[in-house]
């Protein structure tokens, strides 16, 4: 992926805005939970870089990045950057029941 460092054998579905907003959703499907933990670290590093970029570029979007939902559910890593992290969390919770 151009945007994220990926561990071996990780596939991802990624939807992101045009760059004028920080909004994005990504799901990483990893081979196992250990790989998922490593992938989480890559995604967190990406978020840290994004927050820094938006701080200089579009400061009002920085809060969305800082409040991103990033979680591991078994062998999956889920990222959601939105204006409503509580709703994102609720949707993820339903999807993984």
């Amino acid at each position: 992926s151009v945007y994220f460092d990926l561990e071996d054998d990780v596939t991802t579905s990624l939807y992101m805005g045009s760059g004028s907003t920080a909004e994005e959703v990504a799901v990483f499907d990893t081979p196992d939970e250990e790989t998922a933990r490593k992938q989480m670290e890559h995604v967190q590093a990406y978020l840290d870089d994004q927050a820094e970029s938006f701080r200089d570029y579009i400061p009002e979007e920085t809060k969305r990045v800082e409040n991103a939902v990033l979680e591991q559910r078994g062998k999956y890593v889920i990222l959601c950057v939105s204006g409503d992290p509580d709703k994102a969390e609720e949707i993820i919770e339903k999807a993984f029941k």
Side-chain angles (χ1 to χ4, degrees), residues 31-82:
D32 52 52
E33 290 187 19
E34 179 60 30
T35 305
R37 278 191 286 280
K38 292 177 185 174
Q39 189 61 50
M40 283 269 295
E41 293 173 12
H42 295 309
V43 179
Q44 185 59 60
Y46 165 81
L47 282 174
D48 294 344
D49 288 346
Q50 283 291 86
E52 194 62 37
S53 294
F54 276 104
R55 196 169 287 115
D56 296 335
Y57 176 55
I58 308 173
E60 58 274 15
E61 289 295 303
T62 304
K63 185 174 181 180
R64 288 182 195 217
V65 177
E66 291 173 345
N67 292 323
V69 175
L70 174 61
E71 351 187 305
Q72 178 183 345
R73 298 289 180 112
K75 69 181 193 106
Y76 296 96
V77 174
I78 303 98
L79 167 66
C80 184
V81 180
S82 72

Side-chain angles (χ1 to χ4, degrees), residues 22-33:
E23 293 177 313
E24 59 191 297
V25 174
V27 177
F28 302 85
D29 184 356
T30 73
D32 52 52
E33 290 187 19

